[in-house]
């Protein structure tokens, strides 16, 4: 198996603030990993580094075997089209329909003109495929509904369908469940984990909910002040790094309240 | 306590200053309440006749020299409205594409993020160039544009449309660029993260997001264009304004009112249509507003 991500002493600073501090880790293709840690610990920054929309100030990072420091603007763009990202705020175009949003998932692999045509007259093949995807995420009746008319949970489904339509080799999701109730959050996380196994893409998710992370992910990476304080299976979490874990859950309870 | 009273004090001075400025301007313009009152008998009569005519708009021509086989006045009025609509529509059809081009270069939200020095210089140059062009276009009123164009190219329907299109494209373009830049960038950021090109996100995310507002605003400007188109009649372009001007010159006030009422009806109609359109376009916001 080859690696999805290789980080070696990666540091990312915003002015004086060190958001990611000399992180070294590697994630293999096909893994399911959850990033956990309190607010401000660097989860979003790590995800932005992994999808190459943020650049390390120090250290080396390679994505799907490509060292990103060596890439041109265009080859980085092509690399990004192979990695799906679900940002925390989903980033849907609210006054377009579900199908129009989902079809944009493949925009990175298509020309600008083709994307405009996709919005105006989607091909029959794409429409069928998107209908199946919406069926898979449970909102097939919303194919032609404007996204602004959907509930928070339904919008999340549209974002997941957009990521699936992209057919990425890796899917990054930043706090995918921060906007919904606990029952729905559990459904969404389970769906992502299932899809990752079913379709074979690597899944990296940042999560505030420690319980959900433990339930669905075989590997947890704990971050604190931009450093990795834990990396391993959930059942090891009890023994290893107990001290920082306690602090972590305390913080988590505060942010959840 | 102190700070609020200080704010009040400052506000009082500003209001006082504006009032003083008003009286200074009024005085230098020779403005007195008496100025509204007609100075002599004939003016009184004329004003009276004009407003009395409002109650009895002409159903027939007041001009005796109009040939027998001429169309009835209401039909001529409707034809005038059609011409007015034609100019407004033609002017807007020219103005909107111009405004889209200028608005595109006058907005900055689609600029690629890491960009070379040459591209950066080009984008900034185009940005300021088009912003300047748009201010220039809209700083000159359509009537003045009409006079300039008519004196240069002579009286022609195209001249009227261009005179309307130029200042309107300046205003539309400025508002377009602002509407586009004000849209949330969440969607375009998300799409760039999955490999979309910056320009691509302009067409598939920013423009679609701003589109309902662009259409609503264009429609509002169409109502303005209708009024401006009528006014262009006063410099000789054939719209209902020309008929109003010609009848007014001959003191055929009843005819003037016939045309006024027709124009009013058209504007009310367009206004209703626009209100309906706004409700439909904004229904996606799903709010409780009627
Ligand atoms: N664009 C930015 N400019 C400046 N500082 C930033 C930027 N992005 C993140 N930071 C800082 O980097 C640190 C890590 O932020 P990050 O968003 O990665 O945390 P997080 O773990 O995702 O937090 P949360 O759980 O609240 O989303 C924070 O201190 C934050 O203020
Ligand atoms: Mg975050």
């Amino acid at each position: 198996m080859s690696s999805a991500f290789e980080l070696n002493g990666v540091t990312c600073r915003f002015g004086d603030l060190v958001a990611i501090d000399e992180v070294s880790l590697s994630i293999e293709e096909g893994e399911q990993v959850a990033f956990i840690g309190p607010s401000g610990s660097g989860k979003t920054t790590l995800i932005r580094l992994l999808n190459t929309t943020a650049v390390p100030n120090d250290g080396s990072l390679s994505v799907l075997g490509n060292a990103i420091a060596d890439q041109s603007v265009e080859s980085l763009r092509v690399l990004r089209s192979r990695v799906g990202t679900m940002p925390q705020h989903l980033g849907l175009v609210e006054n377009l329909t579900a199908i129009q949003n989902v079809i944009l998932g493949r925009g990175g692999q298509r020309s600008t003109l083709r994307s405009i045509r996709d919005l105006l007259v989607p091909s029959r093949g794409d429409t069928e495929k998107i209908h199946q995807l919406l069926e898979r995420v449970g909102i097939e009746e919303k194919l032609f509904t404007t996204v602004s008319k959907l509930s928070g949970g339904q919008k999340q489904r549209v974002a997941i369908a957009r990521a699936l339509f992209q057919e990425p080799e890796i899917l990054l999701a930043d706090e995918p469940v921060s906007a919904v109730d606990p029952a729905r959050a559990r459904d969404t996380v389970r769906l992502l984990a299932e899809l990752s196994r079913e379709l074979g893409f690597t899944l990296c998710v940042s999560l505030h909910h420690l319980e959900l992370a433990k339930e669905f992910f075989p590997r947890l990476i704990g971050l604190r002040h931009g450093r990795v304080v834990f990396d391993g299976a959930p059942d090891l979490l009890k023994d290893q790094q107990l001290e920082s874990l306690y602090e972590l859950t305390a913080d988590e309870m505060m942010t959840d309240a | 306590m102190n700070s609020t009273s200080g704010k009040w004090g400052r506000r009082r001075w500003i209001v006082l200053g504006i009032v003083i400025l008003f009286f200074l301007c009024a005085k230098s313009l020779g403005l007195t309440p008496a100025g509204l009152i007609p100075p002599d008998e004939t003016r009184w009569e004329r004003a009276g006749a004009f407003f009395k005519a409002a109650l009895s708009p002409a159903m027939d021509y007041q001009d005796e020299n109009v040939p027998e086989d001429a169309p009835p006045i209401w039909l001529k009025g409707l034809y005038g409205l059609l011409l007015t609509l034609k100019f407004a529509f033609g002017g807007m059809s020219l103005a909107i594409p111009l405004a889209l081009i200028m608005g595109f270069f006058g907005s900055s939200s689609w600029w690629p993020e890491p960009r070379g020095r040459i591209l950066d210089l080009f984008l900034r140059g185009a940005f300021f160039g088009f912003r300047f062009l748009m201010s220039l276009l809209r700083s000159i009123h359509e009537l003045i544009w009409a006079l300039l164009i008519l004196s240069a190219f002579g009286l022609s329907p195209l001249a009227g449309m261009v005179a309307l299109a130029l200042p309107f494209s300046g205003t539309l373009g400025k508002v377009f660029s602002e509407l586009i830049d004000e849209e949330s960038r969440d969607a375009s950021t998300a799409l760039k993260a999955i490999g979309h090109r910056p320009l691509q996100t302009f067409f598939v995310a920013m423009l679609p997001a701003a589109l309902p507002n662009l259409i609503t605003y264009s429609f509002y400007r169409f109502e303005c264009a209708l009024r401006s188109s009528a006014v262009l009649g006063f410099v000789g372009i054939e719209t209902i304004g020309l008929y109003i001007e010609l009848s007014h010159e001959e003191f055929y006030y009843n005819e003037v009112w016939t045309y006024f009422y027709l124009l009013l009806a058209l504007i009310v109609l367009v206004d209703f249509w626009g209100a309906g359109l706004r409700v439909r376009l904004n229904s996606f916001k799903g709010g409780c507003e009627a």
Side-chain angles (χ1 to χ4, degrees):
Chain A
M1 248 186 208
S2 55
S3 67
F5 297 113
E6 284 279 350
L7 287 79
N8 249 308
V10 168
T11 299
C12 183
R13 282 184 288 264
F14 296 105
D16 287 340
L17 193 136
V18 186
I20 290 291
D21 194 1
E22 293 200 24
V23 166
S24 300
L25 54 88
S26 105
I27 296 173
E28 301 302 309
E29 277 185 30
E31 272 196 272
Q32 283 99 32
V33 182
F35 302 135
I36 53 177
S39 224
S41 58
K43 301 182 297 293
T44 298
T45 308
L46 180 58
I47 283 183
R48 291 190 51 216
L49 285 164
L50 298 183
N51 74 15
T52 77
T53 57
V55 203
N57 297 99
D58 268 312
S60 67
L61 162 65
S62 63
V63 179
L64 292 164
N66 304 281
I68 67 134
D70 307 337
Q71 309 293 314
S72 68
V73 173
E74 177 61 12
S75 52
L76 270 185
R77 188 189 71 71
V78 173
L79 191 58
R80 279 188 211 125
S81 75
R82 298 167 60 193
V83 179
T85 305
M86 267 178 72
Q88 189 161 358
H89 300 292
L90 303 181
L92 300 170
V93 187
E94 291 274 323
N95 60 339
L96 291 182
T97 59
I99 181 179
Q100 285 174 317
N101 271 283
V102 174
I103 213 165
L104 292 178
R106 247 178 230 179
Q109 298 145 31
R110 292 175 176 175
S111 71
T112 300
L113 269 179
R114 172 73 200 267
S115 299
I116 296 170
R117 210 183 71 197
D118 283 346
L119 289 187
L120 300 174
V121 273
S123 76
R124 186 177 298 182
D126 284 351
T127 308
E128 253 161 48
K129 172 85 182 139
I130 291 168
H131 190 256
Q132 284 166 14
L133 287 176
L134 290 186
E135 219 163 49
R136 181 66 186 84
V137 299
I139 51 164
E140 70 270 26
E141 75 282 4
K142 304 294 183 191
L143 189 61
F144 297 110
T145 307
T146 308
V147 163
S148 60
K149 288 182 185 146
L150 299 177
S151 73
Q154 291 167 337
K155 286 180 189 176
Q156 238 162 32
R157 303 293 161 131
V158 175
I160 293 174
R162 179 174 72 184
L164 295 180
F165 188 61
Q166 186 188 349
E167 296 182 344
E169 289 157 65
I170 303 168
L171 179 58
L172 305 167
D174 193 9
E175 316 241 353
V177 293
S178 59
V180 291
D181 62 77
R184 230 153 289 252
R186 194 167 173 281
D187 278 354
T188 302
V189 174
R190 185 180 47 207
L191 178 66
L192 284 172
E194 270 174 23
L195 286 165
S196 156
R197 290 190 185 97
E198 199 177 300
L199 303 169
F201 58 78
T202 312
L203 178 65
C204 302
V205 171
S206 82
L207 277 176
H208 263 138
H209 282 264
L210 189 59
E211 289 313 312
L212 287 179
K214 280 170 138 180
E215 186 176 352
F216 293 107
F217 290 85
R219 179 178 174 192
L220 308 187
I221 295 179
L223 287 173
R224 197 171 168 76
H225 299 310
R227 288 170 183 272
V228 174
V229 293
F230 175 86
D231 184 351
D235 45 328
L236 293 177
L237 193 53
K238 282 171 192 124
D239 317 311
Q240 203 185 329
Q241 308 273 356
L242 240 164
E243 199 177 308
S244 37
L245 171 72
Y246 268 112
E247 271 181 88
L248 205 126
T249 43
D251 276 347
E252 195 185 55
M253 277 155 67
M254 276 171 61
T255 52
D256 274 359
Chain B
M1 272 284 131
N2 250 343
S3 74
T4 55
S5 71
K7 210 168 165 187
W8 266 113
R10 186 137 28 96
R11 248 182 232 173
R12 206 155 46 205
W13 284 115
I14 292 173
V15 171
L16 196 67
I18 291 173
V19 171
I20 290 173
L21 201 63
F22 171 75
F23 279 108
L24 285 178
C25 291
K27 183 144 175 32
S28 75
L29 289 171
L31 224 57
T32 63
L36 268 178
I37 299 169
D40 55 51
E41 275 309 279
T42 51
R43 296 282 184 87
W44 266 113
E45 270 165 27
R46 203 170 296 164
F50 181 76
F51 286 107
K52 214 160 69 203
L55 298 174
S56 53
M59 298 299 163
D60 246 319
Y61 291 102
Q62 290 173 279
D63 185 354
E64 266 122 47
N65 299 326
V66 170
E68 276 297 307
D69 56 349
I73 186 164
W74 59 268
L75 196 61
K76 184 178 172 193
L78 285 183
Y79 181 63
L81 286 187
L82 193 71
L83 292 172
T84 309
L85 267 171
K86 206 175 73 178
F87 272 105
F89 192 77
M92 287 298 285
S93 311
L94 279 178
I96 288 175
L98 284 176
L100 281 174
I101 295 168
M102 294 192 294
F104 173 73
F105 285 107
S107 66
S108 56
S109 51
W110 54 273
W111 291 1
E113 219 6 277
R115 55 180 177 268
R117 273 191 63 78
I118 296 181
L119 181 63
D120 188 67
L121 262 159
F122 171 77
L123 289 176
R124 276 168 205 282
F127 180 83
F128 288 111
F130 278 100
R131 289 239 154 180
F132 178 75
L133 180 63
M134 289 188 283
S135 341
L136 190 76
L137 287 170
R138 68 177 187 276
S139 66
I140 297 174
H141 191 269
E142 47 270 25
L143 261 180
I144 299 179
W145 275 119
L147 290 173
L148 289 174
I149 293 170
L150 293 187
S151 65
F153 300 102
L155 196 64
S156 76
L158 185 65
M161 279 182 198
V162 173
L164 208 66
L166 291 180
F168 274 67
S169 69
T171 318
L172 279 167
K174 175 178 187 272
V175 174
F176 281 6
S177 63
E178 279 163 9
L179 287 174
I180 289 167
D181 279 348
E182 274 163 20
E183 281 300 327
S184 152
R185 298 189 191 186
D186 285 354
S188 59
T189 307
L191 293 176
K192 278 184 231 166
I194 58 170
H196 280 239
R197 302 151 194 85
L199 200 59
Q200 189 174 10
T201 67
F202 176 84
F203 289 109
V204 302
M206 292 175 195
L207 193 58
L211 204 58
N213 287 332
L214 298 189
I215 294 175
T216 308
Y217 183 69
S218 301
F219 205 86
Y220 165 69
R221 290 301 294 171
F222 177 66
E223 295 174 23
C224 302
L226 214 51
R227 282 187 286 274
S228 292
S229 162
V231 169
L232 284 184
F234 287 79
V235 297
I237 289 166
E238 194 178 359
T239 66
I240 197 154
L242 181 65
Y243 301 165
I244 292 174
E245 160 76 356
L246 293 178
S247 294
H248 183 260
E249 251 174 18
E250 304 290 328
F251 307 114
Y252 298 146
Y253 292 141
N254 306 69
E255 288 186 18
V256 169
W257 282 99
T258 307
Y259 297 137
F260 272 174
Y261 286 130
L262 284 172
L263 184 60
L264 183 70
L266 178 67
I267 286 181
V268 168
L269 211 69
V270 169
D271 197 35
F272 268 110
W273 183 22
L277 189 82
R278 271 190 285 280
V279 169
R280 247 175 305 140
L281 281 174
N282 291 328
S283 64
F284 71 90
K285 281 174 188 146
C288 302
E289 70 269 56

